[in-house]
Amino acid sequence: MAAPMLRSFSRGRWSRSPGLRAILHPGLRKAHSGAQGLLAAKKARGLFKEFFPETGTKVELPELFDRGQAGHSPQTVYCGFDPTGDSLHVGHLLTLLGLFHFQRAGHNVIALVGGATARLGDPSGRTKEREALGAERVRANARALRRGLEALAAHHQQLFSDGRAWGSFTVLDNSAWYAEQHLVDFLAAVGGHFRMGTLLSRLSVQTRLKSPEGMSLAEFLYQVLQAYDFYYLFKHYGCRVQLGGSDQLGNIVSGYEFINKLTGEDVFGITVPLITNTTGAKLGKSAGNAVWLDREKTSPFELYQFFVRQQDDSVERYLKLFTFLPLSEIDHMMQLHVKEPEKRGPQKRLAAEVTKLVHGREGLDSAKRCTKALYNSSIDALEVMSDQELKELFKEASFSELVLDPGTSVLDTCRKANAIPDGPRGYRMITEGGVSINHRQVTNPECVLVVGQHILKNGLSLLKIGKRNFYIIKWLQL
């Protein structure tokens, strides 16, 4: 079966390549596990959790990545992302950071969108079956995930370069090879290499079989397709390492066993820790607590604030996991934090690094403007904010477009925006100090609006009623 053409992001531009075949040096030495080894360094950050198998029978995993030795070729590492939703979320970031760390060390990485496997649903870490998604929905989600992955790769390349020669970043979709498969042919060629006892012994399968709902055949076969993905990438792109969340170890083991049976070669799996909330629940779409990476779902300001709000007992770990900052710099930052914890320096640096990676420089600037406008009551920040930023900042706020007639008063404005009730009660809300415009309290209902004070340079007014009710007004025909 011919391999699909690669669309790979390498050294700042997109190029096409028929494939990446890793050439392994026959005289591999014993594993290098010193402090300077790539795997050891990332394990020290807490990014890599488990390695499978711990040692290989023919090739030692750490040795694969020891590019400093003569004759060693760049390796290829992949991680899968099933398009069960139309956006990546914070839970995906660790595996992406893992790919980026390999890329920065000169290795080639593949982000595999599961345009086919998403139709089945991964049972790992789930107590019940996923809601079935139609083919068109999955295709739309897959396109959105590709855009998100490519955007993150571009931000990484543009904003976090360290002057070294990096490997390539490639996005593939497994529907490209499953579309060519016929069911009976696939089962005849692949099915005989899997033993039912082994598949049934996986923790994810055992957990589901013991649940009241049980497990569908589609879910059961998910590990077979993920194993075949690994084999396909090994065969066509020389990929020897799969990266995944710690809940993916069973699927990774299936891929290892399948490839080993077919080829006699060793491949490897690396897991990253799962990110959980304060109660220990996994962050993600299924748990209903996802912090999305798509701006339409979670704004740069909201993403920034998610990390700014991290507690002191987790911020050092998150700096090691979610940023490329050297450990020495993180240690110094934490020492300063002990002396001045009220400044929340590590939290702000963490939020800035992640927001810049996800949304680029403009997204970080937007998050900072929104932070100043909301928490510092900054008029200057409000004046340069776009309509989109205001809507993102005040998601629950009513947005109105009004024509500024001559003599428009504070009372007129509040009523046209449906911000106060009609009659004496609404009038009293103003006189009693319950209304502010652009962070300035107004107590005279008859006061005529003044451009530059009540109406900002960008033609916007931020109306606040009480403590929590915001109304955004865009003035027309100024």
Side-chain angles (χ1 to χ4, degrees):
M1 189 187 309
M5 296 291 283
L6 278 177
R7 187 178 184 228
S8 65
F9 184 84
S10 179
R11 296 174 179 84
R13 65 181 185 273
W14 289 98
S15 61
R16 286 190 176 271
S17 165
L20 301 169
R21 295 186 181 273
I23 303 173
L24 298 177
H25 190 265
L28 291 177
R29 303 180 314 149
K30 290 185 179 180
H32 172 65
S33 57
Q36 300 304 313
L38 174 62
L39 300 184
K42 304 318 164 192
K43 190 171 179 62
R45 296 184 76 97
L47 182 60
F48 294 161
K49 184 177 180 182
E50 300 166 290
F51 301 98
F52 179 86
E54 293 184 6
T55 58
T57 56
K58 295 182 180 179
V59 180
E60 296 286 354
L61 177 59
E63 181 72 13
L64 285 180
F65 297 104
D66 191 359
R67 294 184 69 241
Q69 302 299 319
H72 285 221
S73 299
Q75 295 303 309
T76 302
V77 182
Y78 101 93
C79 179
F81 303 87
D82 274 349
T84 54
D86 58 1
S87 171
L88 299 167
H89 53 72
V90 165
H92 293 119
L93 267 183
L94 282 195
T95 47
L96 269 172
L97 265 293
L99 290 180
F100 287 151
H101 277 292
F102 280 119
Q103 183 190 11
R104 296 166 74 84
H107 301 287
N108 301 314
V109 299
I110 297 173
L112 180 64
V113 177
T117 43
R119 301 278 310 275
L120 302 185
D122 184 358
S124 302
R126 295 183 58 85
T127 58
K128 60 181 181 179
E129 190 170 2
R130 292 180 185 273
E131 179 183 351
L133 298 176
E136 185 50 47
R137 173 76 177 278
V138 171
R139 282 193 289 269
N141 288 348
R143 289 191 295 268
L145 255 59
R146 287 188 70 108
R147 289 193 297 269
L149 289 164
E150 289 166 3
L152 280 156
H155 294 155
H156 176 225
Q157 186 82 28
Q158 295 160 6
L159 302 174
F160 294 89
S161 177
D162 57 6
R164 296 182 296 173
W166 289 2
S168 62
F169 187 98
T170 302
V171 182
L172 298 176
D173 188 325
N174 63 13
S175 63
W177 47 88
Y178 287 114
E180 303 173 9
Q181 295 280 1
H182 295 285
L183 176 61
V184 174
D185 292 339
F186 178 80
L187 290 176
V190 173
H193 297 283
F194 291 89
R195 305 265 63 86
M196 286 297 297
T198 304
L199 295 177
L200 286 167
S201 70
R202 303 288 184 232
L203 178 61
S204 60
V205 175
Q206 285 291 312
T207 301
R208 289 299 304 281
L209 288 176
K210 294 175 183 176
S211 69
E213 186 174 311
M215 188 179 202
S216 70
L217 176 62
E219 286 184 299
F220 180 71
L221 291 176
Y222 183 94
Q223 59 182 313
V224 173
L225 266 64
Q226 185 164 324
Y228 183 79
D229 285 341
F230 199 175
Y231 168 73
Y232 186 92
L233 295 176
F234 170 79
K235 180 180 177 183
H236 294 278
Y237 301 102
C239 179
R240 302 182 74 89
V241 180
Q242 181 180 172
L243 188 68
S246 57
D247 59 347
Q248 291 296 306
L249 186 58
N251 292 330
I252 293 172
V253 172
S254 293
Y256 164 83
E257 293 173 345
F258 180 50
I259 294 170
N260 190 256
K261 281 183 179 179
L262 283 181
T263 69
E265 297 284 348
D266 284 317
V267 293
F268 302 91
I270 301 174
T271 66
V272 301
L274 298 178
I275 297 301
T276 60
N277 61 17
T278 54
T279 65
K282 175 183 171 182
L283 288 182
K285 182 176 71 70
S286 301
N289 57 5
V291 179
W292 301 100
L293 305 189
D294 188 314
R295 184 168 187 161
E296 296 299 315
K297 290 175 170 286
T298 299
S299 70
F301 166 73
E302 291 172 307
L303 180 68
Y304 183 88
Q305 288 301 319
F306 171 79
F307 285 100
V308 163
R309 291 193 299 267
Q310 293 303 314
Q311 300 298 315
D312 287 350
D313 59 2
S314 61
V315 67
E316 182 177 4
R317 175 173 177 257
Y318 279 13
L319 279 166
K320 293 175 180 179
L321 291 176
F322 288 107
T323 78
F324 302 110
L325 299 175
L327 294 182
S328 59
E329 185 175 345
I330 294 173
D331 289 340
H332 179 65
M333 201 182 309
M334 295 308 299
Q335 290 171 13
L336 294 177
H337 181 60
V338 172
K339 298 176 183 177
E340 298 178 306
E342 70 281 356
K343 291 187 176 181
R344 298 184 70 77
Q347 283 90 343
K348 291 177 181 177
R349 184 64 184 277
L350 170 66
E353 292 292 310
V354 176
T355 305
K356 184 169 64 172
L357 176 64
V358 174
H359 294 295
R361 179 73 65 182
E362 188 280 329
L364 176 57
D365 291 342
S366 173
K368 289 183 175 180
R369 280 195 297 271
C370 290
T371 298
K372 289 180 181 178
L374 183 62
Y375 294 114
N376 299 335
S377 299
S378 172
I379 299 298
D380 292 338
L382 275 176
E383 285 190 316
V384 296
M385 289 176 70
S386 65
D387 296 2
Q388 181 187 23
E389 286 175 335
L390 276 171
K391 289 177 181 177
E392 289 174 347
L393 181 57
F394 303 101
K395 276 194 170 180
E396 304 303 319
S398 171
F399 186 86
S400 305
E401 292 184 331
L402 302 177
V403 175
L404 183 64
D405 296 321
T408 297
S409 67
V410 170
L411 182 63
D412 296 331
T413 302
C414 291
R415 285 178 174 169
K416 287 181 179 179
N418 295 315
I420 61 173
D422 292 332
R425 181 162 168 259
Y427 194 92
R428 286 197 305 272
M429 288 175 69
I430 301 173
T431 60
E432 292 173 359
V435 175
S436 66
I437 298 179
N438 300 332
H439 295 310
R440 293 174 179 168
Q441 191 179 64
V442 290
T443 56
N444 181 4
E446 309 301 336
C447 176
V448 175
L449 298 189
V450 176
V451 176
Q453 178 182 341
H454 304 105
I455 302 173
L456 302 176
K457 290 185 295 186
N458 53 2
L460 296 170
S461 295
L462 178 62
L463 182 62
K464 182 181 177 184
I465 310 296
K467 293 183 178 181
R468 299 182 180 275
N469 298 314
F470 290 95
Y471 299 80
I472 301 168
I473 300 169
K474 181 175 177 64
W475 295 100
L476 306 176
Q477 300 176 11
L478 286 179

